[in-house]
């Protein structure tokens, strides 16, 4: 069985459990589900702040929904492409479920506000990015093993690498002008490039070790953009399925939140979604769109659920398996890189219409941007305070990691970024009160990775 290099783990000596008949990917899924990083997603912002309502989705419920959609995608591909699936896909759904469950665990508190804040604070120390942090958590930080995090299979780690390059190779040429103070930081100018950390290069190289040199070079190729962040071009088959599941969960289920909580209204939806859907040359879609707005904004919840379910089903069943050597003129030898799950043009346009609407009418809403700005300030202030006197202010176990990094000439700032990124929205807010407000709570410092 272990002749397959994609089933290998970085730490080969894995605890043998009596009569444990699980597949390698079932074990990976269990480790993700039982991790502290996964549990913390219940108190991290998805679209609306995690404390604003007891109804809407957090990053935890979003990840669970993405996992369910991922299972649907796998079922579709097995049904449509039985021969290829027998070779390319595992026998059960646990790999895709693992990827969907884990894909957001690197996100810091306060959504993109926290991500921008940490990237700004880490600008001279390797940067910060949510996907890079996800890889770091599973490969290093979670204490399932001494040095290699959850010690997941190589294939699971490959599937979690959305952007297979380090941030330094993707960073725009001319950095933005530094603001006079944290309060003046413009988020749009400090979004990180999407990639991995140079601090984790040894682990990245291990994941990519089975690839031939040509495949590795092609997989890590980037599209250079003039004074913008560069972008990676390719992802693995498993990652492509996980990304589709994530996008469908974001574009459709997060929209449901916004409708039920009254954040968006039917008039805007009609104008920006329905009118655009009716322009698309697709008979089923034209017919479905006629009653879609009334069903979604209906007071009868079952009509909303049916409308949402129909859209999700439409987007899942449209997914195709393509050979990117043909479609993109590549020359990958490794099947896991050569094949990707994709949406054909029309379903891709449909999903984009929904994603754009959620972005413009939910995420960009002033009240939500104000919360994001507040979170951004909290994260920067915390990072500055903790890095001013780490041995005094960090929890004892994080101090040990900080001291070890110092002794080994490693990036000490990364240890502080790991600590702040691991906080929930609520924990970060309370620690901020403890450090900076006279009425703040006390008794902090036990939380750690």
């Amino acid at each position: 069985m272990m002749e397959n290099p994609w089933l290998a783990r970085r730490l080969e000596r894995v605890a043998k459990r009596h009569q444990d008949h699980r597949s390698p990917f079932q074990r990976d899924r269990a480790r993700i589900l039982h991790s502290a990083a996964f549990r913390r997603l219940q108190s991290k912002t998805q679209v609306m702040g995690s404390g604003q309502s007891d109804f809407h989705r957090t990053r935890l419920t979003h990840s669970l929904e993405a996992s369910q959609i991922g299972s649907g995608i796998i079922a579709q591909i097995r049904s449509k492409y039985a021969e290829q699936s027998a070779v390319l896909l595992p026998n059960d759904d646990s790999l895709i479920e693992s990827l969907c469950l884990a894909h957001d665990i690197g996100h810091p508190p306060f959504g993109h506000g926290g991500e921008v804040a940490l990237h700004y604070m880490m600008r001279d120390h390797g940067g910060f990015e949510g996907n890079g942090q996800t890889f770091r958590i599973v490969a290093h930080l979670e204490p399932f093993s001494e040095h290699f995090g959850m010690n997941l299979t190589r294939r699971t780690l490959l599937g979690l690498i959305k952007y297979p390059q380090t941030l330094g190779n993707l960073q725009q040429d001319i950095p933005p002008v530094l603001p006079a103070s944290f309060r003046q930081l413009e988020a749009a100018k400090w979004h990180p490039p999407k990639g991995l950390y140079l601090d984790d290069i040894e682990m990245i190289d291990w994941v990519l070790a089975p690839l031939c040199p040509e495949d590795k070079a092609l997989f890590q190729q980037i599209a250079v953009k003039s004074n913008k962040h560069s972008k990676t071009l390719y992802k693995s088959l498993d990652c492509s399925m996980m990304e589709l599941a994530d996008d469908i969960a974001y574009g459709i289920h997060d929209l449901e939140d916004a409708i039920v909580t009254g954040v968006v209204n039917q008039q805007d939806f009609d104008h920006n979604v329905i009118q655009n859907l009716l322009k698309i040359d697709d008979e089923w879609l034209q017919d479905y769109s006629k009653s879609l707005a009334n069903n979604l904004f209906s007071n009868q919840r079952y009509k909303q659920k049916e409308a949402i379910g129909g859209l999700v089903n439409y987007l899942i069943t449209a997914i195709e398996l393509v050979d990117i050597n043909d479609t993109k003129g590549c020359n990958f030898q490794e099947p896991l890189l050569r094949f990707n799950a994709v949406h054909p043009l029309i379903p891709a346009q449909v999903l984009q219409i929904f994603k754009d609407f959620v972005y413009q009418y939910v995420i960009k809403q002033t009240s939500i941007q104000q919360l994001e700005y507040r979170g951004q300030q909290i994260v920067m202030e915390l990072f500055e305070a903790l890095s001013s006197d780490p041995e005094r202010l960090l929890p004892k176990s994080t101090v040990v990691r900080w001291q070890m990094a110092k002794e080994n000439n490693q990036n000490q700032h990364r240890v502080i970024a790991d600590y702040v990124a691991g906080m929930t929205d609520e924990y970060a807010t309370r620690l901020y009160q403890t450090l900076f407000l006279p009425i703040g709570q006390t008794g902090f410092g036990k939380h750690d990775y």
Side-chain angles (χ1 to χ4, degrees):
M1 181 94 172
M2 287 309 292
E3 288 88 53
N4 182 348
W6 297 110
L7 296 182
R9 299 179 190 273
R10 185 70 174 80
L11 180 66
E12 290 178 18
R13 185 180 44 76
V14 178
K16 288 278 182 280
R17 304 273 160 77
H18 182 57
Q19 291 188 331
D20 186 350
H21 302 298
R22 293 174 299 170
S23 73
F25 302 124
Q26 286 172 328
R27 298 188 78 171
D28 285 353
R29 182 180 57 190
R31 290 173 188 200
I32 291 160
L33 272 169
H34 292 298
S35 66
F38 181 72
R39 288 196 300 279
R40 288 191 194 114
L41 293 176
Q42 67 190 312
S43 299
K44 289 194 178 187
T45 297
Q46 172 59 14
V47 172
M48 298 182 264
S50 64
Q52 282 179 275
S53 154
D54 62 359
F55 165 81
H56 63 67
R57 290 163 171 86
T58 63
R59 283 206 184 272
L60 182 76
T61 54
H62 162 77
S63 299
L64 292 169
E65 284 176 335
S67 173
Q68 181 60 35
I69 292 167
S71 292
I73 292 171
I74 283 268
Q76 269 303 307
I77 290 176
R78 282 203 190 102
S79 169
K80 284 185 186 174
Y81 307 94
E83 270 182 54
Q84 287 160 300
S85 297
V87 177
L88 291 169
L89 300 177
N91 295 327
D92 62 26
D93 296 354
S94 45
L95 171 60
I96 186 70
E97 287 174 3
S98 296
L99 299 179
C100 291
L101 292 171
H103 80 279
D104 262 356
I105 60 175
H107 277 278
F110 310 112
H112 289 294
E115 184 178 52
V116 165
L118 279 173
H119 180 58
Y120 175 73
M121 300 308 287
M122 289 290 288
R123 64 193 179 278
D124 298 325
H125 310 287
F128 179 91
E129 198 268 336
N131 299 287
Q133 191 69 15
T134 292
F135 182 80
R136 183 167 173 79
I137 288 170
V138 298
H140 287 299
L141 298 180
E142 273 289 339
F144 282 78
S145 67
E146 190 176 1
H147 300 296
F148 304 118
M150 297 185 196
N151 196 31
L152 303 177
T153 58
R154 186 184 257 126
R155 181 162 175 176
T156 300
L157 290 172
L158 179 71
L160 286 170
I161 297 178
K162 284 190 184 185
Y163 312 103
Q165 259 296 357
T166 52
L167 296 185
N169 292 333
L170 299 160
Q171 188 75 36
Q172 65 191 63
D173 302 334
I174 305 164
V177 177
L178 296 183
S181 74
F182 290 163
R183 301 272 163 100
Q184 294 177 31
L185 183 80
E186 279 184 73
K189 293 182 179 175
W190 288 96
H191 280 296
K194 291 183 180 294
L196 302 166
Y197 304 146
L198 189 60
D199 295 316
D200 300 325
I201 191 67
E202 190 261 348
M203 198 66 183
I204 297 163
D205 287 340
W206 179 80
V207 174
L208 303 182
L211 302 177
C212 67
E214 294 79 12
D215 271 8
K216 185 180 178 187
L218 182 58
F219 186 51
Q220 295 194 288
Q221 203 175 318
I222 58 177
V224 179
K225 302 198 169 190
S226 172
N227 205 31
K228 281 186 176 178
H229 295 321
S230 301
K231 290 185 174 180
T232 57
L233 297 169
Y234 304 109
K235 52 184 65 74
S236 69
L237 166 65
D238 303 321
C239 185
S240 71
M241 291 189 287
M242 175 263 280
E243 283 225 283
L244 284 167
D246 184 22
D247 282 353
I248 294 169
Y250 165 82
I252 309 300
H253 286 301
D254 291 355
L255 170 66
E256 185 187 1
D257 270 5
I259 290 169
V260 173
T261 51
V263 171
V264 297
N265 62 57
Q266 188 167 347
Q267 188 180 351
D268 287 336
F269 184 81
D270 268 325
H271 184 69
N272 293 278
V273 176
I274 300 298
Q275 294 308 313
N276 286 328
L277 291 177
L278 290 171
K279 291 174 190 167
I280 293 175
D281 185 19
D282 181 302
E283 197 176 329
W284 180 87
L285 197 64
Q286 299 260 347
D287 188 53
Y288 200 73
S289 298
K290 287 171 190 165
S291 57
L292 179 59
N294 286 336
N295 287 337
L296 284 178
F297 288 85
S298 168
N299 291 325
Q300 295 171 294
R301 288 301 311 280
Y302 77 91
K303 286 189 175 178
Q304 288 179 334
K305 285 292 176 193
E306 282 181 4
I308 291 287
L311 283 171
V312 171
N313 183 66
Y314 167 77
L315 291 167
I316 289 176
T317 53
I319 289 169
E320 295 177 350
L321 186 66
V322 301
D323 182 342
I324 64 169
N325 284 359
D326 295 337
T327 58
K328 293 189 177 179
C330 304
N331 193 25
F332 281 117
Q333 294 173 42
E334 170 55 57
L336 290 181
L337 303 185
R338 181 177 167 181
F339 292 94
N340 270 195
V342 300
H343 262 147
L345 183 61
I346 286 179
Q349 287 175 331
V350 171
L351 183 52
Q352 195 61 49
I353 288 168
F354 282 98
K355 285 170 63 181
D356 289 346
F357 182 73
V358 171
Y359 182 73
Q360 287 299 336
Y361 284 84
V362 184
I363 290 174
K364 283 308 211 185
Q365 207 178 54
T366 305
S367 60
I368 287 171
Q369 286 302 309
Q370 287 172 344
L371 286 174
E372 205 170 274
Y373 175 85
R374 183 180 71 181
Q376 187 180 302
Q377 301 304 313
I378 289 171
V379 168
M380 289 189 286
E381 296 275 6
L382 286 178
F383 190 102
E384 184 178 54
L386 295 169
S387 54
S388 72
D389 199 346
E391 291 175 286
R392 178 183 175 200
L393 297 175
L394 288 172
K396 294 291 176 279
S397 49
T398 310
V399 169
V400 170
R401 283 187 58 224
W402 188 84
Q403 289 167 336
M404 280 174 60
K406 187 176 183 180
E407 286 166 21
N408 296 324
N409 287 321
Q410 292 170 334
N411 187 354
Q412 291 167 271
H413 290 85
R414 181 65 64 202
V415 175
I416 296 167
D418 290 340
Y419 176 57
V420 176
M423 296 178 184
T424 62
D425 297 14
E426 183 189 4
Y427 184 95
T429 302
R430 293 200 336 250
L431 182 58
Y432 179 91
Q433 291 171 347
T434 301
L435 292 176
F436 300 114
L437 301 182
I439 54 165
Q441 306 202 13
T442 56
F444 272 74
K446 291 188 169 64
H447 158 84
D448 190 22
Y449 268 112

